[in-house]
Amino acid sequence: MAMRSVASTAARAIASPSSLVFTRELQASPGPKKIVGVFYKANEYAEMNPNFLGCAENALGIREWLESKGHQYIVTPDKEGPDCELEKHIPDLHVLISTPFHPAYVTAERIKKAKNLQLLLTAGIGSDHVDLTAAAAAGLTVAEVTGSNTVSVAEDELMRILILVRNFLPGHHQVINGEWNVAAIAHRAYDLEGKTVGTVGAGRIGRLLLQRLKPFNCNLLYHDRLKMDSELENQIGAKFEEDLDKMLSKCDIVVINTPLTEKTKGMFDKERIAKLKKGVLIVNNARGAIMDTQAVVDACNSGHIAGYSGDVWYPQPAPKDHPWRYMPNQAMTPHISGTTIDAQLRYAAGTKDMLDRYFKGEDFPAENYIVKDGELAPQYR
């Protein structure tokens, strides 16, 4: 893959904090490469489904293929701390593969240590576990399998909306606990029809969610850096809201579908949450750090947020004392929405395709790049 000169790259590196960007040659040089994958451990569940590819045991199903080409493939779930298994391989790895569900946090310090590193791949969508500015400054390529789990996440968001609106979980808990108290559920259970639902971010996942909400006859709003074309807006039945806070004040239900960037980190703090309708429901399958953790807890305790559901936390895995585990009216899960078996098949295939292109010196699909030639993708700027 032809790479531009250091001087040319530096001139265009709008995301780099330094005046000089060093571009590491992405095309794989001859000889074996060291590839490290970081995935969650599945233990006894690893053998229950042959298509369960996203775990450490099955390692995206690419071990045999990589080793047949002479490459070394190291897989570990151990990713935290100075003595973890990942840290041992940082100095000489060429490619690091991780997922949003068990992210290997690639800090500027780790990038500095990784003298041979050329390529950071996300098996899935969302590369905020990488210090993207540091990656750009180091001339690394960061890419993900765009579109691989958009349907999975959008379906999960719709499920969570219904769980919150219908006050489902208390009823389920009653059954488990041998109870029967209809009033305790019905006093705060509603229909979805007629409610105002706003998505913060209307990219691939946000648009799919809006399309799936249309049959419910909701009032659909969206806020995004880009406005949809009029034909698509009419098909979906959604209205663009340029002013985020004005949109939020109208919403019965708010869904977070924006990537985590320096601009969106802590976006929903105490002040912004106070601007939401009292009794608002929030679904967040984007990233936990978009929310101010304690502000969400306080608003759930006061009732200002009537229900909060999502599968994203910060950090991940969430510690046992994470306050979202214990706040009222929550329907939280581990980070599962984008790792259905169908999604795993898609992002495993997409990761293999990009590795194959890397070995051959071919470009990736343009939409997969998060950092290329010292520049961040627009959604991360």
Side-chain angles (χ1 to χ4, degrees):
M1 183 182 302
M3 306 298 283
R4 69 195 67 208
S5 68
V6 169
S8 173
T9 303
R12 298 185 57 216
I14 60 173
S16 174
S18 65
S19 60
L20 185 62
V21 176
F22 298 96
T23 302
R24 304 187 191 185
E25 180 67 37
L26 179 58
Q27 181 174 343
S29 56
K33 295 291 171 284
K34 183 173 185 177
I35 299 159
V36 175
V38 177
F39 311 107
Y40 54 79
K41 194 168 180 60
N43 298 308
E44 69 273 20
Y45 302 105
E47 298 181 358
M48 292 185 176
N49 189 328
N51 292 324
F52 188 4
L53 301 180
C55 59
E57 290 86 346
N58 297 328
L60 302 182
I62 58 175
R63 180 179 295 282
E64 183 176 345
W65 172 70
L66 285 172
E67 292 180 348
S68 73
K69 292 181 174 293
H71 303 299
Q72 184 182 13
Y73 189 32
I74 305 293
V75 175
T76 180
D78 186 19
K79 62 189 181 72
E80 302 293 343
D83 299 320
C84 71
E85 185 67 20
L86 171 60
E87 201 70 27
K88 298 174 185 177
H89 301 286
I90 290 291
D92 63 345
L93 57 80
H94 297 90
V95 180
L96 177 60
I97 307 170
S98 186
T99 74
F101 319 106
H102 188 72
Y105 293 105
V106 184
T107 62
E109 182 181 0
R110 278 180 166 171
I111 288 172
K112 187 176 181 180
K113 292 178 182 177
K115 302 300 183 183
N116 293 338
L117 181 60
Q118 295 176 315
L119 177 61
L120 292 160
L121 290 177
T122 300
I125 302 172
S127 298
D128 49 88
H129 54 280
V130 177
D131 185 327
L132 297 177
T133 302
L140 299 176
T141 297
V142 182
E144 57 190 43
V145 191
T146 298
S148 59
N149 53 16
T150 51
V151 169
S152 312
V153 176
E155 288 183 355
D156 187 272
E157 289 176 343
L158 177 57
M159 175 189 71
R160 291 175 191 274
I161 289 171
L162 289 167
I163 284 172
L164 292 178
V165 169
R166 301 306 295 264
N167 202 25
F168 175 83
L169 280 181
H172 180 61
H173 292 154
Q174 282 188 21
V175 170
I176 294 172
N177 296 330
E179 302 168 355
W180 190 280
N181 186 348
V182 174
I185 306 160
H187 80 284
R188 57 192 305 272
Y190 298 88
D191 295 338
L192 180 53
E193 184 175 41
K195 303 301 182 293
T196 297
V197 184
T199 176
V200 181
R204 291 175 176 85
I205 295 171
R207 288 196 300 268
L208 286 173
L209 174 65
L210 291 170
Q211 289 169 344
R212 282 154 176 74
L213 284 168
K214 185 177 180 181
F216 288 88
N217 297 320
C218 302
N219 178 29
L220 301 177
L221 307 175
Y222 74 97
H223 171 82
D224 195 84
R225 61 188 178 87
L226 299 174
K227 188 178 184 298
M228 298 180 202
D229 64 68
S230 298
E231 183 178 355
L232 182 58
E233 270 192 351
N234 291 335
Q235 289 175 355
I236 295 176
K239 179 185 176 184
F240 176 67
E241 294 279 345
E242 186 172 1
D243 188 304
L244 173 60
D245 288 326
K246 285 185 178 179
M247 183 190 83
L248 294 174
S249 67
K250 302 174 185 177
C251 293
D252 303 301
I253 302 157
V254 173
V255 186
I256 314 301
N257 275 311
T258 190
L260 177 62
T261 68
E262 287 303 314
K263 292 180 181 178
T264 63
K265 187 175 182 180
M267 172 189 281
F268 281 80
D269 55 13
K270 180 179 180 180
E271 289 72 26
R272 176 155 277 144
I273 289 173
K275 297 176 182 178
L276 304 178
K277 276 187 178 182
K278 181 173 174 57
V280 69
L281 305 176
I282 298 178
V283 171
N284 179 16
N285 280 359
R287 288 295 182 267
I290 293 171
M291 317 299 290
D292 179 314
T293 298
Q294 191 58 47
V296 171
V297 173
D298 293 343
C300 285
N301 283 330
S302 72
H304 193 85
I305 296 177
Y308 185 92
S309 184
D311 69 335
V312 287
W313 310 67
Y314 185 79
Q316 289 187 186
K320 290 183 179 180
D321 62 351
H322 196 292
W324 286 0
R325 292 180 183 268
Y326 309 105
M327 63 189 183
N329 301 319
Q330 56 89 0
M332 295 296 295
T333 67
H335 196 168
I336 57 170
S337 64
T339 188
T340 63
I341 295 300
D342 302 280
Q344 289 178 47
L345 290 169
R346 291 190 291 265
Y347 63 68
T351 301
K352 182 179 179 181
D353 175 70
M354 286 193 287
L355 285 171
D356 192 43
R357 290 170 184 258
Y358 162 66
F359 298 140
K360 294 176 179 177
E362 298 175 355
D363 280 313
F364 301 158
E367 65 271 16
N368 286 10
Y369 286 108
I370 302 303
V371 175
K372 181 185 181 186
D373 297 339
E375 295 186 12
L376 273 66
Q379 66 268 32
Y380 283 98
R381 293 174 189 169

